Amino acid sequence: MRRRLFAALLAACGTTVFLPAEGRAQGWMEYKPEGGRFRVDLPALPKIAIVQVPIGNNNTVPMTEATSVVSQVAYIASYVDYPNTVTRGAAADVILTQVRNGAASGGSYRDEKKLQIGRVEGREYTIVQPNGNVAVTRTYWSRGRLFQLVVDGKPGIETQPQTRQFLDSFALV
């Protein structure tokens, strides 16, 4: 009952969360934000936030972020649209490199690999944060939109089946 009420509230805010369906691990649910152009499975009902991302010259753009926290592990799916004035003429590979460098600022990254969904370029890498936590990150760049998936937790999270389940469930729609 509580899940259905929460799903109804999210739907009223323009966000769609489907209750668990056959083929998903128990408790996992599909998150498909209206206008988000993607879907992903989350292990629990997400908290939705709009975060302002700086783009230079004291300007910001809104990033929509859905976060589920289970057993001290955060599963985060976000997207942000950048204006053409910021990304004009930049190749996806350059943008994804800049995003990775910004995310790893203050820490380090490892295990980077290039990904592709159709014609959409992406990256996966592991960030070792200054506090010792690890963030397994996937980013994709498509038509001015940056999609980010992050699993943040203690070292070893990168080998957990739930991490792969979350990352591998991402699909563009």
Side-chain angles (χ1 to χ4, degrees), residues 67-101:
T67 304
S68 293
V69 179
V70 176
S71 300
Q72 298 181 332
V73 176
Y75 299 83
I76 305 162
S78 68
Y79 66 94
V80 59
D81 293 316
Y82 286 93
N84 193 30
T85 56
V86 174
T87 61
R88 182 179 303 129
D93 192 55
V94 171
I95 292 168
L96 292 170
T97 296
Q98 290 174 336
V99 169
R100 181 210 59 217
N101 291 346

mmCIF file of all heavy atoms in Angstrom, residues 67-101:
data_model
loop_
_atom_site.group_PDB
_atom_site.id
_atom_site.type_symbol
_atom_site.label_atom_id
_atom_site.label_comp_id
_atom_site.label_asym_id
_atom_site.label_seq_id
_atom_site.Cartn_x
_atom_site.Cartn_y
_atom_site.Cartn_z
ATOM 1 N N THR A 67 17.722 8.648 -6.022
ATOM 2 C CA THR A 67 18.651 7.933 -5.154
ATOM 3 C C THR A 67 17.916 6.910 -4.295
ATOM 4 O O THR A 67 16.955 7.250 -3.609
ATOM 5 C CB THR A 67 19.399 8.915 -4.226
ATOM 6 O OG1 THR A 67 20.042 9.907 -5.025
ATOM 7 C CG2 THR A 67 20.421 8.192 -3.372
ATOM 8 N N SER A 68 18.380 5.668 -4.345
ATOM 9 C CA SER A 68 17.903 4.607 -3.451
ATOM 10 C C SER A 68 19.078 4.198 -2.580
ATOM 11 O O SER A 68 20.171 3.954 -3.094
ATOM 12 C CB SER A 68 17.435 3.389 -4.247
ATOM 13 O OG SER A 68 16.288 3.669 -4.994
ATOM 14 N N VAL A 69 18.858 4.116 -1.278
ATOM 15 C CA VAL A 69 19.911 3.690 -0.371
ATOM 16 C C VAL A 69 19.460 2.397 0.305
ATOM 17 O O VAL A 69 18.392 2.347 0.909
ATOM 18 C CB VAL A 69 20.232 4.771 0.686
ATOM 19 C CG1 VAL A 69 21.322 4.288 1.630
ATOM 20 C CG2 VAL A 69 20.642 6.076 0.003
ATOM 21 N N VAL A 70 20.301 1.367 0.181
ATOM 22 C CA VAL A 70 20.021 0.066 0.778
ATOM 23 C C VAL A 70 21.317 -0.448 1.400
ATOM 24 O O VAL A 70 22.340 -0.530 0.718
ATOM 25 C CB VAL A 70 19.502 -0.937 -0.284
ATOM 26 C CG1 VAL A 70 19.306 -2.316 0.329
ATOM 27 C CG2 VAL A 70 18.224 -0.438 -0.921
ATOM 28 N N SER A 71 21.278 -0.772 2.680
ATOM 29 C CA SER A 71 22.434 -1.335 3.391
ATOM 30 C C SER A 71 23.687 -0.480 3.204
ATOM 31 O O SER A 71 24.757 -0.992 2.883
ATOM 32 C CB SER A 71 22.700 -2.766 2.938
ATOM 33 O OG SER A 71 21.583 -3.572 3.188
ATOM 34 N N GLN A 72 23.550 0.810 3.367
ATOM 35 C CA GLN A 72 24.645 1.779 3.283
ATOM 36 C C GLN A 72 25.292 1.853 1.902
ATOM 37 O O GLN A 72 26.450 2.235 1.761
ATOM 38 C CB GLN A 72 25.699 1.507 4.349
ATOM 39 C CG GLN A 72 25.154 1.632 5.760
ATOM 40 C CD GLN A 72 26.209 1.385 6.811
ATOM 41 O OE1 GLN A 72 27.169 0.659 6.602
ATOM 42 N NE2 GLN A 72 26.021 2.014 7.954
ATOM 43 N N VAL A 73 24.534 1.468 0.879
ATOM 44 C CA VAL A 73 24.982 1.593 -0.502
ATOM 45 C C VAL A 73 23.972 2.485 -1.214
ATOM 46 O O VAL A 73 22.767 2.253 -1.140
ATOM 47 C CB VAL A 73 25.059 0.224 -1.208
ATOM 48 C CG1 VAL A 73 25.438 0.389 -2.671
ATOM 49 C CG2 VAL A 73 26.049 -0.681 -0.486
ATOM 50 N N ALA A 74 24.471 3.526 -1.900
ATOM 51 C CA ALA A 74 23.611 4.440 -2.645
ATOM 52 C C ALA A 74 23.623 4.057 -4.122
ATOM 53 O O ALA A 74 24.689 3.873 -4.719
ATOM 54 C CB ALA A 74 24.076 5.878 -2.469
ATOM 55 N N TYR A 75 22.428 3.954 -4.698
ATOM 56 C CA TYR A 75 22.243 3.705 -6.120
ATOM 57 C C TYR A 75 21.641 4.979 -6.687
ATOM 58 O O TYR A 75 20.527 5.367 -6.289
ATOM 59 C CB TYR A 75 21.294 2.527 -6.347
ATOM 60 C CG TYR A 75 21.806 1.228 -5.768
ATOM 61 C CD1 TYR A 75 21.616 0.926 -4.413
ATOM 62 C CD2 TYR A 75 22.486 0.313 -6.553
ATOM 63 C CE1 TYR A 75 22.085 -0.259 -3.874
ATOM 64 C CE2 TYR A 75 22.954 -0.875 -6.015
ATOM 65 C CZ TYR A 75 22.752 -1.159 -4.678
ATOM 66 O OH TYR A 75 23.213 -2.334 -4.144
ATOM 67 N N ILE A 76 22.350 5.637 -7.588
ATOM 68 C CA ILE A 76 21.944 6.953 -8.068
ATOM 69 C C ILE A 76 21.829 6.933 -9.589
ATOM 70 O O ILE A 76 22.748 6.500 -10.284
ATOM 71 C CB ILE A 76 22.969 8.030 -7.648
ATOM 72 C CG1 ILE A 76 23.176 7.993 -6.134
ATOM 73 C CG2 ILE A 76 22.545 9.408 -8.133
ATOM 74 C CD1 ILE A 76 24.439 8.678 -5.670
ATOM 75 N N ALA A 77 20.702 7.410 -10.091
ATOM 76 C CA ALA A 77 20.492 7.589 -11.531
ATOM 77 C C ALA A 77 20.140 9.055 -11.743
ATOM 78 O O ALA A 77 19.241 9.578 -11.083
ATOM 79 C CB ALA A 77 19.360 6.691 -12.027
ATOM 80 N N SER A 78 20.870 9.713 -12.643
ATOM 81 C CA SER A 78 20.606 11.130 -12.862
ATOM 82 C C SER A 78 20.741 11.479 -14.333
ATOM 83 O O SER A 78 21.351 10.741 -15.110
ATOM 84 C CB SER A 78 21.557 11.996 -12.027
ATOM 85 O OG SER A 78 22.878 11.864 -12.492
ATOM 86 N N TYR A 79 20.160 12.628 -14.669
ATOM 87 C CA TYR A 79 20.352 13.165 -16.013
ATOM 88 C C TYR A 79 20.309 14.682 -15.945
ATOM 89 O O TYR A 79 19.676 15.273 -15.077
ATOM 90 C CB TYR A 79 19.317 12.631 -17.006
ATOM 91 C CG TYR A 79 17.898 13.065 -16.754
ATOM 92 C CD1 TYR A 79 17.369 14.193 -17.387
ATOM 93 C CD2 TYR A 79 17.074 12.355 -15.893
ATOM 94 C CE1 TYR A 79 16.055 14.592 -17.164
ATOM 95 C CE2 TYR A 79 15.765 12.744 -15.669
ATOM 96 C CZ TYR A 79 15.268 13.861 -16.305
ATOM 97 O OH TYR A 79 13.968 14.258 -16.072
ATOM 98 N N VAL A 80 21.052 15.289 -16.867
ATOM 99 C CA VAL A 80 21.120 16.745 -16.941
ATOM 100 C C VAL A 80 21.278 17.131 -18.408
ATOM 101 O O VAL A 80 22.007 16.481 -19.157
ATOM 102 C CB VAL A 80 22.272 17.311 -16.072
ATOM 103 C CG1 VAL A 80 23.610 16.769 -16.502
ATOM 104 C CG2 VAL A 80 22.275 18.821 -16.081
ATOM 105 N N ASP A 81 20.549 18.164 -18.808
ATOM 106 C CA ASP A 81 20.645 18.698 -20.162
ATOM 107 C C ASP A 81 21.549 19.919 -20.148
ATOM 108 O O ASP A 81 21.315 20.862 -19.381
ATOM 109 C CB ASP A 81 19.258 19.089 -20.689
ATOM 110 C CG ASP A 81 18.360 17.887 -20.894
ATOM 111 O OD1 ASP A 81 18.844 16.878 -21.435
ATOM 112 O OD2 ASP A 81 17.183 17.951 -20.513
ATOM 113 N N TYR A 82 22.577 19.883 -20.987
ATOM 114 C CA TYR A 82 23.495 21.006 -21.094
ATOM 115 C C TYR A 82 23.123 21.857 -22.304
ATOM 116 O O TYR A 82 22.778 21.309 -23.360
ATOM 117 C CB TYR A 82 24.936 20.511 -21.236
ATOM 118 C CG TYR A 82 25.487 19.980 -19.946
ATOM 119 C CD1 TYR A 82 25.403 18.631 -19.619
ATOM 120 C CD2 TYR A 82 26.090 20.840 -19.035
ATOM 121 C CE1 TYR A 82 25.909 18.153 -18.421
ATOM 122 C CE2 TYR A 82 26.595 20.368 -17.829
ATOM 123 C CZ TYR A 82 26.504 19.029 -17.543
ATOM 124 O OH TYR A 82 26.996 18.554 -16.353
ATOM 125 N N PRO A 83 23.198 23.181 -22.161
ATOM 126 C CA PRO A 83 22.895 24.029 -23.311
ATOM 127 C C PRO A 83 23.954 23.867 -24.403
ATOM 128 O O PRO A 83 25.130 23.584 -24.113
ATOM 129 C CB PRO A 83 22.910 25.443 -22.730
ATOM 130 C CG PRO A 83 23.653 25.355 -21.453
ATOM 131 C CD PRO A 83 23.533 23.937 -20.973
ATOM 132 N N ASN A 84 23.536 24.046 -25.633
ATOM 133 C CA ASN A 84 24.426 23.921 -26.777
ATOM 134 C C ASN A 84 25.609 24.881 -26.667
ATOM 135 O O ASN A 84 26.696 24.579 -27.147
ATOM 136 C CB ASN A 84 23.641 24.166 -28.072
ATOM 137 C CG ASN A 84 24.423 23.755 -29.295
ATOM 138 O OD1 ASN A 84 25.239 22.847 -29.251
ATOM 139 N ND2 ASN A 84 24.166 24.444 -30.393
ATOM 140 N N THR A 85 25.427 26.006 -26.020
ATOM 141 C CA THR A 85 26.522 26.973 -25.873
ATOM 142 C C THR A 85 27.669 26.410 -25.056
ATOM 143 O O THR A 85 28.802 26.853 -25.190
ATOM 144 C CB THR A 85 26.025 28.277 -25.209
ATOM 145 O OG1 THR A 85 25.415 27.955 -23.952
ATOM 146 C CG2 THR A 85 25.027 29.002 -26.086
ATOM 147 N N VAL A 86 27.398 25.428 -24.215
ATOM 148 C CA VAL A 86 28.436 24.816 -23.381
ATOM 149 C C VAL A 86 29.125 23.662 -24.102
ATOM 150 O O VAL A 86 30.324 23.453 -23.956
ATOM 151 C CB VAL A 86 27.839 24.324 -22.041
ATOM 152 C CG1 VAL A 86 28.855 23.550 -21.222
ATOM 153 C CG2 VAL A 86 27.291 25.488 -21.245
ATOM 154 N N THR A 87 28.379 22.906 -24.899
ATOM 155 C CA THR A 87 28.916 21.679 -25.494
ATOM 156 C C THR A 87 29.103 21.759 -27.003
ATOM 157 O O THR A 87 29.530 20.780 -27.609
ATOM 158 C CB THR A 87 27.972 20.501 -25.176
ATOM 159 O OG1 THR A 87 26.682 20.760 -25.736
ATOM 160 C CG2 THR A 87 27.868 20.273 -23.683
ATOM 161 N N ARG A 88 28.791 22.888 -27.614
ATOM 162 C CA ARG A 88 28.854 23.028 -29.076
ATOM 163 C C ARG A 88 30.200 22.555 -29.622
ATOM 164 O O ARG A 88 31.249 22.978 -29.177
ATOM 165 C CB ARG A 88 28.650 24.484 -29.486
ATOM 166 C CG ARG A 88 28.653 24.676 -31.005
ATOM 167 C CD ARG A 88 28.430 26.114 -31.424
ATOM 168 N NE ARG A 88 27.165 26.592 -30.853
ATOM 169 C CZ ARG A 88 27.061 27.734 -30.155
ATOM 170 N NH1 ARG A 88 28.095 28.515 -29.976
ATOM 171 N NH2 ARG A 88 25.891 28.092 -29.661
ATOM 172 N N GLY A 89 30.133 21.653 -30.577
ATOM 173 C CA GLY A 89 31.321 21.178 -31.270
ATOM 174 C C GLY A 89 32.165 20.173 -30.503
ATOM 175 O O GLY A 89 33.129 19.647 -31.046
ATOM 176 N N ALA A 90 31.838 19.886 -29.267
ATOM 177 C CA ALA A 90 32.638 18.934 -28.479
ATOM 178 C C ALA A 90 32.190 17.503 -28.777
ATOM 179 O O ALA A 90 30.998 17.200 -28.800
ATOM 180 C CB ALA A 90 32.500 19.223 -26.993
ATOM 181 N N ALA A 91 33.148 16.640 -28.998
ATOM 182 C CA ALA A 91 32.856 15.225 -29.228
ATOM 183 C C ALA A 91 32.432 14.570 -27.921
ATOM 184 O O ALA A 91 32.853 14.983 -26.838
ATOM 185 C CB ALA A 91 34.093 14.530 -29.779
ATOM 186 N N ALA A 92 31.611 13.543 -28.040
ATOM 187 C CA ALA A 92 31.143 12.823 -26.852
ATOM 188 C C ALA A 92 32.318 12.328 -26.016
ATOM 189 O O ALA A 92 32.288 12.406 -24.783
ATOM 190 C CB ALA A 92 30.243 11.657 -27.252
ATOM 191 N N ASP A 93 33.379 11.852 -26.666
ATOM 192 C CA ASP A 93 34.534 11.339 -25.944
ATOM 193 C C ASP A 93 35.178 12.423 -25.080
ATOM 194 O O ASP A 93 35.579 12.169 -23.947
ATOM 195 C CB ASP A 93 35.554 10.773 -26.937
ATOM 196 C CG ASP A 93 36.639 9.971 -26.259
ATOM 197 O OD1 ASP A 93 36.294 9.022 -25.512
ATOM 198 O OD2 ASP A 93 37.821 10.298 -26.446
ATOM 199 N N VAL A 94 35.245 13.640 -25.587
ATOM 200 C CA VAL A 94 35.822 14.763 -24.837
ATOM 201 C C VAL A 94 34.936 15.105 -23.646
ATOM 202 O O VAL A 94 35.420 15.298 -22.528
ATOM 203 C CB VAL A 94 36.016 15.994 -25.753
ATOM 204 C CG1 VAL A 94 36.397 17.229 -24.958
ATOM 205 C CG2 VAL A 94 37.056 15.690 -26.825
ATOM 206 N N ILE A 95 33.630 15.160 -23.872
ATOM 207 C CA ILE A 95 32.694 15.476 -22.787
ATOM 208 C C ILE A 95 32.766 14.420 -21.692
ATOM 209 O O ILE A 95 32.843 14.737 -20.502
ATOM 210 C CB ILE A 95 31.260 15.623 -23.334
ATOM 211 C CG1 ILE A 95 31.185 16.882 -24.209
ATOM 212 C CG2 ILE A 95 30.237 15.664 -22.203
ATOM 213 C CD1 ILE A 95 29.934 16.995 -25.031
ATOM 214 N N LEU A 96 32.766 13.145 -22.075
ATOM 215 C CA LEU A 96 32.814 12.066 -21.088
ATOM 216 C C LEU A 96 34.131 12.074 -20.307
ATOM 217 O O LEU A 96 34.149 11.770 -19.116
ATOM 218 C CB LEU A 96 32.590 10.717 -21.769
ATOM 219 C CG LEU A 96 31.180 10.514 -22.336
ATOM 220 C CD1 LEU A 96 31.130 9.258 -23.206
ATOM 221 C CD2 LEU A 96 30.146 10.467 -21.239
ATOM 222 N N THR A 97 35.216 12.462 -20.955
ATOM 223 C CA THR A 97 36.498 12.589 -20.258
ATOM 224 C C THR A 97 36.435 13.709 -19.232
ATOM 225 O O THR A 97 36.903 13.556 -18.093
ATOM 226 C CB THR A 97 37.642 12.841 -21.262
ATOM 227 O OG1 THR A 97 37.758 11.697 -22.106
ATOM 228 C CG2 THR A 97 38.970 13.094 -20.553
ATOM 229 N N GLN A 98 35.849 14.842 -19.601
ATOM 230 C CA GLN A 98 35.718 15.961 -18.665
ATOM 231 C C GLN A 98 34.843 15.581 -17.476
ATOM 232 O O GLN A 98 35.143 15.948 -16.335
ATOM 233 C CB GLN A 98 35.161 17.194 -19.379
ATOM 234 C CG GLN A 98 36.134 17.799 -20.351
ATOM 235 C CD GLN A 98 35.522 18.942 -21.155
ATOM 236 O OE1 GLN A 98 34.311 19.038 -21.328
ATOM 237 N NE2 GLN A 98 36.396 19.806 -21.660
ATOM 238 N N VAL A 99 33.763 14.868 -17.731
ATOM 239 C CA VAL A 99 32.882 14.423 -16.645
ATOM 240 C C VAL A 99 33.638 13.494 -15.702
ATOM 241 O O VAL A 99 33.578 13.640 -14.483
ATOM 242 C CB VAL A 99 31.611 13.734 -17.213
ATOM 243 C CG1 VAL A 99 30.824 13.030 -16.123
ATOM 244 C CG2 VAL A 99 30.742 14.749 -17.945
ATOM 245 N N ARG A 100 34.364 12.549 -16.266
ATOM 246 C CA ARG A 100 35.156 11.624 -15.439
ATOM 247 C C ARG A 100 36.172 12.376 -14.599
ATOM 248 O O ARG A 100 36.305 12.133 -13.403
ATOM 249 C CB ARG A 100 35.859 10.603 -16.322
ATOM 250 C CG ARG A 100 36.682 9.595 -15.504
ATOM 251 C CD ARG A 100 37.890 9.065 -16.235
ATOM 252 N NE ARG A 100 38.790 10.138 -16.614
ATOM 253 C CZ ARG A 100 39.479 10.161 -17.756
ATOM 254 N NH1 ARG A 100 39.383 9.177 -18.628
ATOM 255 N NH2 ARG A 100 40.286 11.171 -18.035
ATOM 256 N N ASN A 101 36.890 13.305 -15.214
ATOM 257 C CA ASN A 101 37.899 14.067 -14.477
ATOM 258 C C ASN A 101 37.272 14.877 -13.347
ATOM 259 O O ASN A 101 37.829 14.953 -12.250
ATOM 260 C CB ASN A 101 38.682 14.975 -15.419
ATOM 261 C CG ASN A 101 39.578 14.195 -16.359
ATOM 262 O OD1 ASN A 101 39.826 13.006 -16.170
ATOM 263 N ND2 ASN A 101 40.047 14.858 -17.399
#
